mmCIF file of all heavy atoms in Angstrom:
data_model
loop_
_atom_site.group_PDB
_atom_site.id
_atom_site.type_symbol
_atom_site.label_atom_id
_atom_site.label_comp_id
_atom_site.label_asym_id
_atom_site.label_seq_id
_atom_site.Cartn_x
_atom_site.Cartn_y
_atom_site.Cartn_z
ATOM 1 N N MET A 68 76.100 127.309 82.842
ATOM 2 C CA MET A 68 74.913 127.518 83.671
ATOM 3 C C MET A 68 74.340 128.907 83.407
ATOM 4 O O MET A 68 75.084 129.883 83.278
ATOM 5 C CB MET A 68 75.274 127.420 85.158
ATOM 6 C CG MET A 68 75.704 126.073 85.639
ATOM 7 S SD MET A 68 74.403 124.836 85.642
ATOM 8 C CE MET A 68 73.384 125.380 87.012
ATOM 9 N N LYS A 69 73.044 128.961 83.314
ATOM 10 C CA LYS A 69 72.376 130.267 83.254
ATOM 11 C C LYS A 69 71.161 130.183 84.164
ATOM 12 O O LYS A 69 70.361 129.243 84.052
ATOM 13 C CB LYS A 69 71.920 130.583 81.825
ATOM 14 C CG LYS A 69 73.041 131.047 80.922
ATOM 15 C CD LYS A 69 72.669 132.335 80.187
ATOM 16 C CE LYS A 69 73.776 132.767 79.241
ATOM 17 N NZ LYS A 69 74.810 133.519 79.911
ATOM 18 N N ASN A 70 71.032 131.142 85.061
ATOM 19 C CA ASN A 70 69.918 131.146 86.010
ATOM 20 C C ASN A 70 69.771 129.816 86.740
ATOM 21 O O ASN A 70 68.677 129.270 86.851
ATOM 22 C CB ASN A 70 68.603 131.506 85.313
ATOM 23 C CG ASN A 70 68.516 132.975 85.020
ATOM 24 O OD1 ASN A 70 69.114 133.788 85.725
ATOM 25 N ND2 ASN A 70 67.814 133.318 83.963
ATOM 26 N N TYR A 71 70.876 129.298 87.181
ATOM 27 C CA TYR A 71 70.927 128.087 88.000
ATOM 28 C C TYR A 71 70.489 126.830 87.249
ATOM 29 O O TYR A 71 70.102 125.845 87.849
ATOM 30 C CB TYR A 71 70.088 128.249 89.275
ATOM 31 C CG TYR A 71 70.557 129.417 90.103
ATOM 32 C CD1 TYR A 71 69.900 130.644 90.033
ATOM 33 C CD2 TYR A 71 71.661 129.304 90.922
ATOM 34 C CE1 TYR A 71 70.355 131.730 90.765
ATOM 35 C CE2 TYR A 71 72.121 130.375 91.664
ATOM 36 C CZ TYR A 71 71.454 131.583 91.581
ATOM 37 O OH TYR A 71 71.912 132.658 92.308
ATOM 38 N N GLN A 72 70.500 126.883 85.923
ATOM 39 C CA GLN A 72 70.159 125.692 85.154
ATOM 40 C C GLN A 72 71.187 125.488 84.048
ATOM 41 O O GLN A 72 71.690 126.455 83.476
ATOM 42 C CB GLN A 72 68.749 125.822 84.561
ATOM 43 C CG GLN A 72 67.689 125.712 85.658
ATOM 44 C CD GLN A 72 66.275 125.838 85.151
ATOM 45 O OE1 GLN A 72 66.006 126.634 84.266
ATOM 46 N NE2 GLN A 72 65.374 125.070 85.726
ATOM 47 N N THR A 84 86.060 130.871 81.066
ATOM 48 C CA THR A 84 85.810 131.512 82.364
ATOM 49 C C THR A 84 86.794 131.023 83.409
ATOM 50 O O THR A 84 87.265 131.804 84.245
ATOM 51 C CB THR A 84 84.369 131.203 82.828
ATOM 52 O OG1 THR A 84 83.473 131.571 81.789
ATOM 53 C CG2 THR A 84 84.011 131.975 84.082
ATOM 54 N N GLU A 87 89.874 133.059 82.710
ATOM 55 C CA GLU A 87 89.705 134.507 82.863
ATOM 56 C C GLU A 87 89.486 134.930 84.315
ATOM 57 O O GLU A 87 89.927 135.992 84.736
ATOM 58 C CB GLU A 87 88.509 134.981 82.026
ATOM 59 C CG GLU A 87 88.825 135.104 80.550
ATOM 60 C CD GLU A 87 87.576 135.387 79.731
ATOM 61 O OE1 GLU A 87 86.527 135.683 80.333
ATOM 62 O OE2 GLU A 87 87.652 135.296 78.499
ATOM 63 N N THR A 88 88.746 134.124 85.064
ATOM 64 C CA THR A 88 88.402 134.530 86.433
ATOM 65 C C THR A 88 89.496 134.195 87.432
ATOM 66 O O THR A 88 89.329 134.441 88.628
ATOM 67 C CB THR A 88 87.103 133.837 86.897
ATOM 68 O OG1 THR A 88 87.295 132.427 86.815
ATOM 69 C CG2 THR A 88 85.921 134.257 86.066
ATOM 70 N N GLY A 89 90.571 133.649 86.957
ATOM 71 C CA GLY A 89 91.681 133.365 87.865
ATOM 72 C C GLY A 89 91.530 132.059 88.619
ATOM 73 O O GLY A 89 92.345 131.739 89.485
ATOM 74 N N ARG A 90 90.460 131.316 88.319
ATOM 75 C CA ARG A 90 90.313 130.019 88.997
ATOM 76 C C ARG A 90 91.515 129.131 88.680
ATOM 77 O O ARG A 90 91.856 128.231 89.430
ATOM 78 C CB ARG A 90 89.014 129.334 88.563
ATOM 79 C CG ARG A 90 87.780 129.793 89.332
ATOM 80 C CD ARG A 90 86.570 129.000 88.912
ATOM 81 N NE ARG A 90 85.471 129.115 89.835
ATOM 82 C CZ ARG A 90 84.350 129.793 89.591
ATOM 83 N NH1 ARG A 90 84.216 130.440 88.458
ATOM 84 N NH2 ARG A 90 83.379 129.835 90.473
ATOM 85 N N THR A 92 94.503 129.910 88.783
ATOM 86 C CA THR A 92 95.591 130.078 89.758
ATOM 87 C C THR A 92 95.440 129.102 90.924
ATOM 88 O O THR A 92 96.420 128.775 91.589
ATOM 89 C CB THR A 92 95.625 131.515 90.320
ATOM 90 O OG1 THR A 92 94.355 131.782 90.933
ATOM 91 C CG2 THR A 92 95.893 132.535 89.248
ATOM 92 N N ARG A 152 92.726 127.775 115.117
ATOM 93 C CA ARG A 152 92.416 129.211 115.131
ATOM 94 C C ARG A 152 92.626 129.808 116.512
ATOM 95 O O ARG A 152 93.090 130.929 116.647
ATOM 96 C CB ARG A 152 90.965 129.423 114.703
ATOM 97 C CG ARG A 152 90.752 129.324 113.228
ATOM 98 C CD ARG A 152 89.429 129.941 112.905
ATOM 99 N NE ARG A 152 89.191 129.957 111.484
ATOM 100 C CZ ARG A 152 88.177 130.584 110.915
ATOM 101 N NH1 ARG A 152 87.306 131.214 111.655
ATOM 102 N NH2 ARG A 152 88.017 130.560 109.614
ATOM 103 N N GLY A 156 95.792 132.423 116.183
ATOM 104 C CA GLY A 156 95.238 133.753 115.911
ATOM 105 C C GLY A 156 95.941 134.875 116.660
ATOM 106 O O GLY A 156 96.774 134.634 117.542
ATOM 107 N N ASN A 157 95.579 136.115 116.294
ATOM 108 C CA ASN A 157 96.157 137.291 116.962
ATOM 109 C C ASN A 157 95.927 137.257 118.466
ATOM 110 O O ASN A 157 96.749 137.728 119.243
ATOM 111 C CB ASN A 157 95.529 138.572 116.393
ATOM 112 C CG ASN A 157 96.165 138.956 115.072
ATOM 113 O OD1 ASN A 157 97.117 138.317 114.618
ATOM 114 N ND2 ASN A 157 95.633 139.996 114.452
ATOM 115 N N THR A 158 94.749 136.743 118.838
ATOM 116 C CA THR A 158 94.434 136.657 120.267
ATOM 117 C C THR A 158 94.576 135.214 120.752
ATOM 118 O O THR A 158 94.031 134.853 121.798
ATOM 119 C CB THR A 158 93.001 137.161 120.523
ATOM 120 O OG1 THR A 158 92.116 136.424 119.655
ATOM 121 C CG2 THR A 158 92.873 138.639 120.253
ATOM 122 N N GLU A 176 100.987 138.014 112.807
ATOM 123 C CA GLU A 176 99.745 137.835 112.048
ATOM 124 C C GLU A 176 99.806 136.687 111.055
ATOM 125 O O GLU A 176 98.787 136.085 110.731
ATOM 126 C CB GLU A 176 99.397 139.134 111.326
ATOM 127 C CG GLU A 176 99.112 140.275 112.291
ATOM 128 C CD GLU A 176 98.277 141.370 111.675
ATOM 129 O OE1 GLU A 176 98.312 141.494 110.437
ATOM 130 O OE2 GLU A 176 97.605 142.098 112.427
ATOM 131 N N LEU A 179 98.131 132.818 111.142
ATOM 132 C CA LEU A 179 96.766 132.404 110.788
ATOM 133 C C LEU A 179 96.318 133.154 109.542
ATOM 134 O O LEU A 179 96.790 134.260 109.276
ATOM 135 C CB LEU A 179 95.814 132.687 111.958
ATOM 136 C CG LEU A 179 94.373 132.157 111.820
ATOM 137 C CD1 LEU A 179 94.355 130.641 111.705
ATOM 138 C CD2 LEU A 179 93.524 132.592 113.011
ATOM 139 N N PHE A 180 95.379 132.543 108.805
ATOM 140 C CA PHE A 180 94.855 133.116 107.569
ATOM 141 C C PHE A 180 95.982 133.378 106.571
ATOM 142 O O PHE A 180 96.140 134.484 106.041
ATOM 143 C CB PHE A 180 94.068 134.406 107.844
ATOM 144 C CG PHE A 180 92.947 134.231 108.826
ATOM 145 C CD1 PHE A 180 92.690 135.165 109.820
ATOM 146 C CD2 PHE A 180 92.132 133.109 108.762
ATOM 147 C CE1 PHE A 180 91.659 134.990 110.722
ATOM 148 C CE2 PHE A 180 91.093 132.924 109.668
ATOM 149 C CZ PHE A 180 90.865 133.869 110.648
ATOM 150 N N ASP A 258 90.123 126.240 103.775
ATOM 151 C CA ASP A 258 88.914 126.990 104.089
ATOM 152 C C ASP A 258 88.992 127.627 105.470
ATOM 153 O O ASP A 258 88.658 128.792 105.649
ATOM 154 C CB ASP A 258 87.715 126.042 104.029
ATOM 155 C CG ASP A 258 86.432 126.777 103.722
ATOM 156 O OD1 ASP A 258 86.425 127.534 102.745
ATOM 157 O OD2 ASP A 258 85.451 126.599 104.459
ATOM 158 N N GLY A 262 91.697 131.541 105.522
ATOM 159 C CA GLY A 262 90.975 132.813 105.652
ATOM 160 C C GLY A 262 90.525 133.402 104.334
ATOM 161 O O GLY A 262 90.370 134.607 104.208
ATOM 162 N N GLY A 263 90.308 132.541 103.335
ATOM 163 C CA GLY A 263 89.849 133.042 102.041
ATOM 164 C C GLY A 263 90.978 133.517 101.148
ATOM 165 O O GLY A 263 90.758 133.941 100.019
ATOM 166 N N PHE A 264 92.211 133.461 101.642
ATOM 167 C CA PHE A 264 93.356 133.932 100.844
ATOM 168 C C PHE A 264 94.076 132.791 100.139
ATOM 169 O O PHE A 264 94.955 133.017 99.325
ATOM 170 C CB PHE A 264 94.363 134.662 101.739
ATOM 171 C CG PHE A 264 93.786 135.882 102.393
ATOM 172 C CD1 PHE A 264 93.728 135.994 103.764
ATOM 173 C CD2 PHE A 264 93.291 136.920 101.627
ATOM 174 C CE1 PHE A 264 93.190 137.115 104.368
ATOM 175 C CE2 PHE A 264 92.748 138.047 102.213
ATOM 176 C CZ PHE A 264 92.702 138.145 103.588
ATOM 177 N N ASN A 266 93.109 129.995 98.050
ATOM 178 C CA ASN A 266 92.076 129.295 97.293
ATOM 179 C C ASN A 266 92.682 128.082 96.585
ATOM 180 O O ASN A 266 93.485 128.228 95.679
ATOM 181 C CB ASN A 266 91.472 130.252 96.266
ATOM 182 C CG ASN A 266 90.003 130.003 96.055
ATOM 183 O OD1 ASN A 266 89.391 129.244 96.797
ATOM 184 N ND2 ASN A 266 89.445 130.620 95.042
ATOM 185 N N ARG A 277 78.371 124.408 95.195
ATOM 186 C CA ARG A 277 77.434 125.118 96.072
ATOM 187 C C ARG A 277 76.660 126.180 95.297
ATOM 188 O O ARG A 277 75.493 126.435 95.554
ATOM 189 C CB ARG A 277 78.211 125.764 97.210
ATOM 190 C CG ARG A 277 77.379 125.966 98.466
ATOM 191 C CD ARG A 277 78.205 126.503 99.603
ATOM 192 N NE ARG A 277 78.955 127.672 99.245
ATOM 193 C CZ ARG A 277 80.247 127.851 99.483
ATOM 194 N NH1 ARG A 277 80.934 126.920 100.082
ATOM 195 N NH2 ARG A 277 80.876 128.950 99.122
ATOM 196 N N LEU A 279 75.792 125.893 92.309
ATOM 197 C CA LEU A 279 75.157 125.156 91.203
ATOM 198 C C LEU A 279 75.882 125.369 89.878
ATOM 199 O O LEU A 279 75.268 125.314 88.825
ATOM 200 C CB LEU A 279 73.692 125.550 91.048
ATOM 201 C CG LEU A 279 72.741 125.161 92.173
ATOM 202 C CD1 LEU A 279 71.293 125.304 91.717
ATOM 203 C CD2 LEU A 279 72.957 123.742 92.646
ATOM 204 N N LYS A 280 77.180 125.643 89.923
ATOM 205 C CA LYS A 280 77.951 125.785 88.682
ATOM 206 C C LYS A 280 78.564 124.426 88.346
ATOM 207 O O LYS A 280 79.784 124.244 88.420
ATOM 208 C CB LYS A 280 79.017 126.859 88.861
ATOM 209 C CG LYS A 280 78.422 128.225 89.161
ATOM 210 C CD LYS A 280 79.241 129.312 88.525
ATOM 211 C CE LYS A 280 78.396 130.548 88.308
ATOM 212 N NZ LYS A 280 78.973 131.498 87.415
ATOM 213 N N ASP B 106 72.473 129.696 101.662
ATOM 214 C CA ASP B 106 73.161 129.387 100.412
ATOM 215 C C ASP B 106 72.142 129.160 99.297
ATOM 216 O O ASP B 106 71.434 128.157 99.277
ATOM 217 C CB ASP B 106 73.999 128.126 100.640
ATOM 218 C CG ASP B 106 74.932 127.869 99.489
ATOM 219 O OD1 ASP B 106 74.595 128.273 98.364
ATOM 220 O OD2 ASP B 106 75.988 127.277 99.723
ATOM 221 N N ILE B 107 72.111 130.100 98.359
ATOM 222 C CA ILE B 107 71.074 130.029 97.330
ATOM 223 C C ILE B 107 71.235 128.806 96.424
ATOM 224 O O ILE B 107 70.258 128.227 95.960
ATOM 225 C CB ILE B 107 71.034 131.336 96.493
ATOM 226 C CG1 ILE B 107 69.802 131.329 95.590
ATOM 227 C CG2 ILE B 107 72.306 131.531 95.705
ATOM 228 C CD1 ILE B 107 69.520 132.641 94.928
ATOM 229 N N GLY B 108 72.487 128.389 96.199
ATOM 230 C CA GLY B 108 72.719 127.214 95.357
ATOM 231 C C GLY B 108 72.095 125.972 95.959
ATOM 232 O O GLY B 108 71.411 125.195 95.282
ATOM 233 N N THR B 109 72.314 125.791 97.258
ATOM 234 C CA THR B 109 71.749 124.635 97.952
ATOM 235 C C THR B 109 70.225 124.680 97.894
ATOM 236 O O THR B 109 69.561 123.671 97.640
ATOM 237 C CB THR B 109 72.203 124.629 99.429
ATOM 238 O OG1 THR B 109 73.619 124.701 99.463
ATOM 239 C CG2 THR B 109 71.731 123.392 100.150
ATOM 240 N N MET B 111 68.255 126.239 95.714
ATOM 241 C CA MET B 111 67.757 125.981 94.356
ATOM 242 C C MET B 111 67.832 124.493 94.031
ATOM 243 O O MET B 111 66.922 123.927 93.427
ATOM 244 C CB MET B 111 68.580 126.780 93.336
ATOM 245 C CG MET B 111 68.314 128.262 93.379
ATOM 246 S SD MET B 111 66.625 128.649 92.886
ATOM 247 C CE MET B 111 66.776 130.344 92.424
ATOM 248 N N ARG B 112 68.939 123.876 94.417
ATOM 249 C CA ARG B 112 69.104 122.442 94.158
ATOM 250 C C ARG B 112 67.995 121.649 94.829
ATOM 251 O O ARG B 112 67.405 120.757 94.226
ATOM 252 C CB ARG B 112 70.467 121.989 94.684
ATOM 253 C CG ARG B 112 70.775 120.519 94.445
ATOM 254 C CD ARG B 112 71.868 120.045 95.372
ATOM 255 N NE ARG B 112 71.437 120.133 96.757
ATOM 256 C CZ ARG B 112 72.271 120.220 97.798
ATOM 257 N NH1 ARG B 112 73.558 120.256 97.615
ATOM 258 N NH2 ARG B 112 71.809 120.296 99.035
ATOM 259 N N ILE B 135 62.916 133.356 89.526
ATOM 260 C CA ILE B 135 63.224 132.146 88.763
ATOM 261 C C ILE B 135 62.184 131.057 89.027
ATOM 262 O O ILE B 135 61.624 130.471 88.110
ATOM 263 C CB ILE B 135 64.629 131.632 89.139
ATOM 264 C CG1 ILE B 135 65.687 132.655 88.701
ATOM 265 C CG2 ILE B 135 64.911 130.277 88.500
ATOM 266 C CD1 ILE B 135 67.064 132.392 89.251
ATOM 267 N N GLN B 139 58.797 129.542 86.569
ATOM 268 C CA GLN B 139 58.992 128.134 86.198
ATOM 269 C C GLN B 139 57.969 127.207 86.852
ATOM 270 O O GLN B 139 57.993 125.997 86.640
ATOM 271 C CB GLN B 139 60.405 127.692 86.581
ATOM 272 C CG GLN B 139 61.471 128.340 85.701
ATOM 273 C CD GLN B 139 62.848 127.780 85.964
ATOM 274 O OE1 GLN B 139 63.002 126.738 86.587
ATOM 275 N NE2 GLN B 139 63.862 128.467 85.478
ATOM 276 N N ARG B 218 92.683 144.671 109.809
ATOM 277 C CA ARG B 218 91.805 144.314 110.927
ATOM 278 C C ARG B 218 90.361 144.196 110.452
ATOM 279 O O ARG B 218 89.419 144.410 111.216
ATOM 280 C CB ARG B 218 91.897 145.389 112.015
ATOM 281 C CG ARG B 218 93.275 145.638 112.565
ATOM 282 C CD ARG B 218 93.688 144.598 113.576
ATOM 283 N NE ARG B 218 92.770 144.547 114.706
ATOM 284 C CZ ARG B 218 92.702 143.529 115.556
ATOM 285 N NH1 ARG B 218 93.473 142.475 115.374
ATOM 286 N NH2 ARG B 218 91.861 143.547 116.558
ATOM 287 N N ARG B 223 83.024 136.349 102.089
ATOM 288 C CA ARG B 223 83.524 135.808 100.833
ATOM 289 C C ARG B 223 82.462 135.836 99.727
ATOM 290 O O ARG B 223 82.769 135.807 98.551
ATOM 291 C CB ARG B 223 83.939 134.350 101.059
ATOM 292 C CG ARG B 223 85.353 134.044 100.718
ATOM 293 C CD ARG B 223 85.691 132.633 101.104
ATOM 294 N NE ARG B 223 86.156 132.533 102.481
ATOM 295 C CZ ARG B 223 86.557 131.399 103.046
ATOM 296 N NH1 ARG B 223 86.564 130.290 102.355
ATOM 297 N NH2 ARG B 223 86.967 131.380 104.299
ATOM 298 N N LYS B 266 92.705 144.047 98.676
ATOM 299 C CA LYS B 266 93.152 142.766 99.249
ATOM 300 C C LYS B 266 94.681 142.694 99.211
ATOM 301 O O LYS B 266 95.318 142.331 100.204
ATOM 302 C CB LYS B 266 92.539 141.616 98.433
ATOM 303 C CG LYS B 266 92.829 140.237 98.968
ATOM 304 C CD LYS B 266 92.202 139.190 98.046
ATOM 305 C CE LYS B 266 92.536 137.780 98.456
ATOM 306 N NZ LYS B 266 92.050 136.784 97.484
ATOM 307 N N PHE B 271 92.388 143.399 104.322
ATOM 308 C CA PHE B 271 91.537 142.388 104.954
ATOM 309 C C PHE B 271 92.356 141.382 105.756
ATOM 310 O O PHE B 271 93.334 140.829 105.252
ATOM 311 C CB PHE B 271 90.716 141.655 103.890
ATOM 312 C CG PHE B 271 89.966 142.598 102.987
ATOM 313 C CD1 PHE B 271 90.254 142.676 101.627
ATOM 314 C CD2 PHE B 271 88.986 143.428 103.508
ATOM 315 C CE1 PHE B 271 89.580 143.565 100.803
ATOM 316 C CE2 PHE B 271 88.302 144.322 102.689
ATOM 317 C CZ PHE B 271 88.598 144.392 101.338
ATOM 318 N N ARG B 272 91.904 141.138 106.960
ATOM 319 C CA ARG B 272 92.540 140.116 107.792
ATOM 320 C C ARG B 272 92.101 138.729 107.336
ATOM 321 O O ARG B 272 92.868 137.789 107.305
ATOM 322 C CB ARG B 272 92.132 140.348 109.258
ATOM 323 C CG ARG B 272 92.547 139.250 110.218
ATOM 324 C CD ARG B 272 94.003 139.387 110.580
ATOM 325 N NE ARG B 272 94.429 138.399 111.546
ATOM 326 C CZ ARG B 272 95.343 137.454 111.312
ATOM 327 N NH1 ARG B 272 95.933 137.379 110.124
ATOM 328 N NH2 ARG B 272 95.698 136.612 112.238
ATOM 329 N N THR B 273 90.820 138.620 107.001
ATOM 330 C CA THR B 273 90.295 137.334 106.543
ATOM 331 C C THR B 273 89.017 137.537 105.733
ATOM 332 O O THR B 273 88.379 138.592 105.822
ATOM 333 C CB THR B 273 90.019 136.398 107.739
ATOM 334 O OG1 THR B 273 89.507 135.151 107.265
ATOM 335 C CG2 THR B 273 88.984 136.992 108.683
ATOM 336 N N LEU B 274 88.686 136.540 104.953
ATOM 337 C CA LEU B 274 87.430 136.534 104.209
ATOM 338 C C LEU B 274 86.593 135.396 104.791
ATOM 339 O O LEU B 274 86.934 134.235 104.627
ATOM 340 C CB LEU B 274 87.692 136.306 102.716
ATOM 341 C CG LEU B 274 88.700 137.272 102.069
ATOM 342 C CD1 LEU B 274 88.984 136.862 100.625
ATOM 343 C CD2 LEU B 274 88.199 138.707 102.111
ATOM 344 N N GLU B 280 81.546 131.774 111.940
ATOM 345 C CA GLU B 280 82.833 132.465 111.797
ATOM 346 C C GLU B 280 82.708 133.929 112.197
ATOM 347 O O GLU B 280 83.602 134.486 112.837
ATOM 348 C CB GLU B 280 83.284 132.389 110.337
ATOM 349 C CG GLU B 280 84.388 131.395 110.080
ATOM 350 C CD GLU B 280 84.888 131.520 108.653
ATOM 351 O OE1 GLU B 280 84.071 131.388 107.729
ATOM 352 O OE2 GLU B 280 86.087 131.761 108.467
ATOM 353 N N GLN B 283 82.709 134.093 115.864
ATOM 354 C CA GLN B 283 84.027 133.766 116.421
ATOM 355 C C GLN B 283 85.010 134.925 116.225
ATOM 356 O O GLN B 283 85.747 135.280 117.136
ATOM 357 C CB GLN B 283 84.555 132.494 115.750
ATOM 358 C CG GLN B 283 85.730 131.867 116.471
ATOM 359 C CD GLN B 283 86.951 131.769 115.584
ATOM 360 O OE1 GLN B 283 86.943 132.169 114.425
ATOM 361 N NE2 GLN B 283 88.015 131.229 116.139
ATOM 362 N N THR B 287 86.393 136.884 119.584
ATOM 363 C CA THR B 287 87.823 136.813 119.935
ATOM 364 C C THR B 287 88.535 138.137 119.631
ATOM 365 O O THR B 287 89.732 138.257 119.880
ATOM 366 C CB THR B 287 88.537 135.698 119.147
ATOM 367 O OG1 THR B 287 88.381 135.955 117.742
ATOM 368 C CG2 THR B 287 87.976 134.326 119.487
ATOM 369 N N GLU B 289 89.432 139.180 116.898
ATOM 370 C CA GLU B 289 90.475 138.951 115.896
ATOM 371 C C GLU B 289 90.480 140.096 114.892
ATOM 372 O O GLU B 289 91.492 140.385 114.268
ATOM 373 C CB GLU B 289 90.207 137.612 115.190
ATOM 374 C CG GLU B 289 91.239 137.173 114.173
ATOM 375 C CD GLU B 289 92.529 136.652 114.816
ATOM 376 O OE1 GLU B 289 92.479 136.173 115.943
ATOM 377 O OE2 GLU B 289 93.589 136.750 114.155
ATOM 378 N N ASP B 415 75.243 135.495 87.295
ATOM 379 C CA ASP B 415 76.343 134.664 86.781
ATOM 380 C C ASP B 415 77.617 135.475 86.566
ATOM 381 O O ASP B 415 78.693 135.086 87.010
ATOM 382 C CB ASP B 415 75.936 133.987 85.461
ATOM 383 C CG ASP B 415 74.882 132.925 85.695
ATOM 384 O OD1 ASP B 415 74.870 132.350 86.798
ATOM 385 O OD2 ASP B 415 74.073 132.694 84.790
ATOM 386 N N GLU B 418 79.119 136.778 89.853
ATOM 387 C CA GLU B 418 79.842 135.733 90.589
ATOM 388 C C GLU B 418 81.190 135.452 89.944
ATOM 389 O O GLU B 418 82.203 135.289 90.628
ATOM 390 C CB GLU B 418 78.985 134.462 90.632
ATOM 391 C CG GLU B 418 79.431 133.429 91.644
ATOM 392 C CD GLU B 418 80.464 132.457 91.108
ATOM 393 O OE1 GLU B 418 80.571 132.306 89.874
ATOM 394 O OE2 GLU B 418 81.174 131.854 91.910
ATOM 395 N N GLU B 419 81.200 135.433 88.618
ATOM 396 C CA GLU B 419 82.455 135.138 87.911
ATOM 397 C C GLU B 419 83.503 136.221 88.159
ATOM 398 O O GLU B 419 84.674 135.935 88.399
ATOM 399 C CB GLU B 419 82.183 134.994 86.414
ATOM 400 C CG GLU B 419 81.629 133.621 86.047
ATOM 401 C CD GLU B 419 80.911 133.624 84.715
ATOM 402 O OE1 GLU B 419 81.092 134.576 83.937
ATOM 403 O OE2 GLU B 419 80.141 132.676 84.467
ATOM 404 N N GLN B 422 85.056 136.024 91.497
ATOM 405 C CA GLN B 422 86.078 134.978 91.580
ATOM 406 C C GLN B 422 87.472 135.552 91.350
ATOM 407 O O GLN B 422 88.448 135.086 91.920
ATOM 408 C CB GLN B 422 85.805 133.877 90.544
ATOM 409 C CG GLN B 422 84.717 132.898 90.946
ATOM 410 C CD GLN B 422 85.081 132.097 92.174
ATOM 411 O OE1 GLN B 422 86.243 131.771 92.391
ATOM 412 N NE2 GLN B 422 84.094 131.789 93.000
ATOM 413 N N ARG B 423 87.545 136.574 90.489
ATOM 414 C CA ARG B 423 88.860 137.181 90.232
ATOM 415 C C ARG B 423 89.404 137.824 91.508
ATOM 416 O O ARG B 423 90.596 137.792 91.779
ATOM 417 C CB ARG B 423 88.767 138.219 89.108
ATOM 418 C CG ARG B 423 88.450 137.587 87.756
ATOM 419 C CD ARG B 423 88.689 138.504 86.582
ATOM 420 N NE ARG B 423 88.128 139.813 86.762
ATOM 421 C CZ ARG B 423 88.849 140.893 87.074
ATOM 422 N NH1 ARG B 423 90.145 140.811 87.210
ATOM 423 N NH2 ARG B 423 88.261 142.059 87.218
ATOM 424 N N ASN B 426 90.555 135.019 93.849
ATOM 425 C CA ASN B 426 91.796 134.371 93.413
ATOM 426 C C ASN B 426 92.977 135.338 93.305
ATOM 427 O O ASN B 426 94.071 134.932 92.935
ATOM 428 C CB ASN B 426 91.579 133.674 92.062
ATOM 429 C CG ASN B 426 90.704 132.454 92.204
ATOM 430 O OD1 ASN B 426 91.017 131.537 92.948
ATOM 431 N ND2 ASN B 426 89.569 132.437 91.520
#
Side-chain angles (χ1 to χ4, degrees):
Chain A
M68 293 292 288
K69 282 230 182 276
N70 284 332
Y71 302 99
Q72 289 180 321
T84 307
E87 282 172 11
T88 58
R90 276 184 164 108
T92 59
R152 282 197 176 188
N157 280 356
T158 54
E176 297 202 335
L179 187 62
F180 304 138
D258 206 51
F264 298 120
N266 215 10
R277 206 175 52 229
L279 293 194
K280 299 215 156 195
Chain B
D106 190 332
I107 189 169
T109 306
M111 289 295 201
R112 181 199 63 203
I135 295 169
Q139 290 187 15
R218 302 281 301 163
R223 237 174 272 182
K266 184 182 176 186
F271 308 116
R272 171 79 177 116
T273 180
L274 306 174
E280 256 187 303
Q283 194 239 0
T287 58
E289 183 75 26
D415 290 331
E418 195 272 339
E419 280 160 16
Q422 281 296 326
R423 293 195 312 103
N426 289 302

